[in-house]
Amino acid sequence: HARRLGSNLGEEIVVAVTNDRSGPDDFVVLANVSNSSGVLSEINAVAAHASGNDRFRIVTNPAQLASWTGRERGPVAYLGGNTLVLADSGQAIYNAIIAQQTGRTGFSSQPFYASINQAYSKGAATLFAVDLASLFTGEQNSFEGRDALGLSSIDRLVVEQKQLAGKTMTSAQLNFNGDRQGPAAWLAPAAPMGALEFVSPQAYGLASVVTKDASVIFDEFLGLISGSGGNQQELTNLQNAVGVDIRRD
């Protein structure tokens, strides 16, 4: 069924996971439809094989939601016009229908949306985006070591892949709110990388970064060890035993 369903869909498929204070909330799949009757036929076939405990609801008219309480759980499919929405709750379907009818959502006012929209405007084949701020910021997401690791200032991650002039281009952008903290702050401002002159033109891939002074990074690393309950004295004993000063040598 999945293969036949896919053959009736358009070129764009979006998979989204929402979350609330307790963790992941709704799982949603959105797709544009090229053959509505074919999609409905395949969804009905899937629903017919669903077990009683996993009742598969199918919505083709928003008026069907009038009898729902909003607390329904379980797989739901909505087919309206040229749009297919699959979700694990009735509330997610309701939100999708409202967005489709009004053309507006609260999501469009968020910085996370702006990053996704920017990638779309330039053309994207595969796009992966995560609103990391909702996972790691706020008192409800506080945990030991969060600030030391720099996660409290992290914002969003956008990774995209597309074809340009016959070549596959992959890029990733990690944004922060304010100054970077923790290991992320070890990266220095952008600067010329002389080492790249020695890379072969036939190289398949490479990674190069500009960092802060190594001694500064080492001192901050020791701070992380101490803050996470590590025993810094053990490192000192090891250096004395082998006759090496890691910071200076």
Side-chain angles (χ1 to χ4, degrees), residues 1-9 42 46:
H1 294 296
R3 180 178 299 176
R4 290 196 293 269
L5 176 62
S7 66
N8 293 306
L9 299 179
E42 291 303 324
V46 172

Side-chain angles (χ1 to χ4, degrees), residues 175-223:
N175 293 78
F176 292 82
N177 286 315
D179 295 334
R180 299 192 304 268
Q181 301 174 11
W186 297 347
L187 294 176
M193 295 183 179
L196 297 181
E197 297 179 3
F198 299 93
V199 177
S200 167
Q202 285 75 43
Y204 180 77
L206 64 94
S208 181
V209 296
V210 180
T211 64
K212 289 182 177 179
D213 184 89
S215 61
V216 175
I217 295 177
F218 182 71
D219 290 341
E220 294 183 2
F221 177 71
L222 291 182

Side-chain angles (χ1 to χ4, degrees), residues 55-84:
R55 181 185 174 191
F56 198 137
R57 299 176 176 84
I58 301 175
V59 178
T60 55
N61 188 331
Q64 293 175 250
L65 297 178
S67 61
W68 291 24
T69 65
R71 296 187 297 272
E72 288 83 3
R73 304 299 299 183
V76 188
Y78 166 67
L79 181 60
N82 63 346
T83 302
L84 171 66

Side-chain angles (χ1 to χ4, degrees), residues 71-179:
R71 296 187 297 272
E72 288 83 3
R73 304 299 299 183
V76 188
Y78 166 67
L79 181 60
N82 63 346
T83 302
L84 171 66
V85 183
L86 302 174
D88 59 356
S89 76
Q91 184 63 47
I93 294 293
Y94 175 80
N95 293 338
I97 291 176
I98 293 299
Q100 184 186 44
Q101 293 180 340
T102 64
R104 298 189 304 271
T105 68
F107 178 56
S108 60
S109 63
Q110 302 298 315
F112 183 47
Y113 169 84
S115 294
I116 297 175
N117 189 50
Q118 182 181 24
Y120 263 87
S121 66
K122 297 178 180 179
T126 303
L127 183 66
F128 174 79
V130 186
D131 183 8
L132 297 173
S134 66
L135 299 177
F136 297 116
T137 62
E139 292 302 320
Q140 72 275 12
N141 295 324
S142 179
F143 58 89
E144 184 178 357
R146 183 193 64 174
D147 294 340
L149 292 173
L151 298 178
S152 58
S153 63
I154 202 168
D155 188 11
R156 54 194 182 274
L157 170 67
V158 178
V159 181
E160 57 179 309
Q161 185 179 80
K162 56 187 174 183
Q163 294 286 330
L164 288 176
K167 297 181 179 180
T168 300
M169 305 293 292
T170 303
S171 63
Q173 181 174 328
L174 182 62
N175 293 78
F176 292 82
N177 286 315
D179 295 334

